């Protein structure tokens, strides 16, 4: 049975676009990114900060890839393992970086590059574990660093580190990664953020009963800010694929 929070999240997405993701990405956008990264049968995929692995489970089921999801939250991984059922998904508990040992054809980082202040260290680790010709498929919140006033307003601001595209492209290039595909999702992610905000507000009493009043208030505040920032262009959202030389 879905929790109040899960019901609100599911109701915010168009029909068929919610697959358990904890992000603004729609299922069709996740599929497109996986396709551009050439995920297919037998392709080795490392999914960083996978959470309950809604996108990872969908990609594994539809493509037949060899999937490893990594996250620092033990409870999220326990849920991911249960939800994966008989899918050939593996999961590991780890704080990133460093990344797990091994080589991979594709590394995913969906909706969580924002949380890494030292993006050069992260990108360097991604390049290290990618096979030659391997692809780094990710989303990024593009924009100037937050001002002190913006940081004061945003809950969990220590996990909110946007980056400008020119700087990010330089970090990728320095690590031996070349951008081969990019698509902007600012408009659709603004719509998703706004829909989530509406659903969280409508179900706030039930959600507060699940996660607490303060956490619910912070959830609503954060989504109000994301809706404002994406709507005004303060932050733009991109999906990208960079290939290792």
């Amino acid at each position: 049975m879905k929790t109040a929070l899960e019901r609100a999240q599911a109701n915010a997405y168009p029909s068929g676009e919610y697959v358990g993701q904890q992000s603004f990405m729609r299922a069709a956008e996740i599929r497109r990114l996986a396709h551009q990264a050439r995920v297919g049968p037998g392709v080795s995929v490392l999914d960083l900060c996978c959470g309950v692995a809604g996108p990872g489970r969908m990609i594994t089921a539809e493509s037949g890839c060899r999937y490893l999801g990594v996250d620092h939250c033990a409870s999220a991984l326990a849920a991911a393992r249960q939800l994966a059922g008989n899918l050939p998904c593996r999961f590991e508990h780890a704080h990133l970086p460093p990344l797990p040992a091994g080589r991979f054809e594709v590394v995913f980082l969906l909706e969580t590059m924002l949380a890494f202040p030292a993006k050069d260290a992260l990108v360097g680790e991604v390049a290290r574990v990618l096979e030659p010709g391997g692809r780094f498929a990710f989303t990024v919140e593009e924009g100037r660093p937050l001002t002190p006033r913006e940081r004061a307003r945003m809950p969990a601001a220590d996990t909110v580190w946007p980056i400008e595209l020119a700087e990010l492209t330089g970090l990728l290039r320095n690590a031996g990664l070349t951008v081969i595909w990019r698509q902007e999702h600012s408009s659709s992610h603004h719509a998703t953020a706004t829909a989530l905000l509406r659903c969280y507000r409508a179900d706030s009493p039930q959600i507060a009963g699940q996660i607490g009043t303060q956490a619910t208030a912070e959830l609503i505040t954060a989504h109000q800010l994301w809706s404002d920032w994406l709507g005004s262009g303060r932050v733009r959202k991109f999906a990208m694929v960079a290939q290792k030389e």
Side-chain angles (χ1 to χ4, degrees):
M1 190 170 69
K2 286 182 178 178
T3 65
L5 189 58
E6 289 169 337
R7 283 195 304 273
Q9 289 166 340
N11 290 337
Y13 287 83
S15 178
E17 295 292 342
Y18 181 69
V19 291
Q21 66 269 43
Q22 297 166 303
S23 72
F24 299 153
M25 290 193 85
R26 300 177 182 184
E29 294 169 349
I30 298 165
R31 288 190 183 97
R32 191 176 305 122
L33 181 59
H35 173 74
Q36 293 294 335
R38 304 199 299 279
V39 175
V43 171
S44 56
V45 173
L46 174 64
D47 187 9
L48 305 177
C49 307
C50 67
V52 300
R57 288 182 275 114
M58 179 186 76
I59 291 166
T60 302
E62 294 182 356
S63 74
C65 66
R66 294 186 291 120
Y67 175 90
L68 172 61
V70 178
D71 201 275
H72 69 88
C73 179
S75 60
L77 290 175
R81 290 188 182 97
Q82 182 178 9
L83 291 166
N86 294 324
L87 286 172
C89 296
R90 295 185 298 122
F91 299 97
E92 287 185 12
H93 181 262
H95 287 269
L96 307 175
L99 272 56
R103 284 296 185 98
F104 302 88
E105 292 167 86
V106 175
V107 173
F108 270 110
L109 182 67
L110 302 182
E111 304 288 80
T112 44
M113 183 175 282
L114 184 73
F116 292 87
K119 291 178 177 38
D120 53 345
L122 172 69
V123 168
E125 277 289 288
V126 169
R128 180 182 64 80
V129 303
L130 277 175
E131 295 182 355
R135 283 81 64 197
F136 179 29
F138 62 94
T139 57
V140 63
E141 291 79 5
E142 192 271 341
R144 303 178 311 281
L146 298 191
T147 65
R149 185 168 181 269
E150 288 170 334
R151 290 208 160 276
R153 295 175 64 201
M154 173 60 80
D158 58 338
T159 63
V160 180
W161 304 95
I163 185 171
E164 295 185 87
L165 275 186
E167 182 182 355
L168 176 62
T169 303
L171 293 180
L172 292 166
R173 186 170 55 246
N174 290 343
L177 300 170
T178 303
V179 175
I180 59 172
W181 179 81
R182 184 179 85 190
Q183 186 167 50
E184 185 167 358
H185 290 318
S186 300
S187 178
S188 65
H189 287 204
H190 171 246
T192 300
T194 305
L196 283 164
L197 174 63
R198 183 175 62 249
C199 290
Y200 290 152
R201 280 177 169 159
D203 294 344
S204 58
Q206 294 83 1
I207 295 171
Q210 177 190 341
I211 66 173
T213 302
Q214 181 176 344
T216 302
E218 290 178 351
L219 185 71
I220 289 170
T221 297
H223 281 76
Q224 178 67 71
L225 287 170
W226 283 120
S227 177
D228 292 346
W229 291 352
L230 287 164
S232 67
R234 166 64 180 90
V235 174
R236 296 189 298 164
K237 286 296 293 291
F238 290 90
M240 302 175 73
V241 178
Q243 184 164 300
K244 184 173 178 177
E245 296 168 2

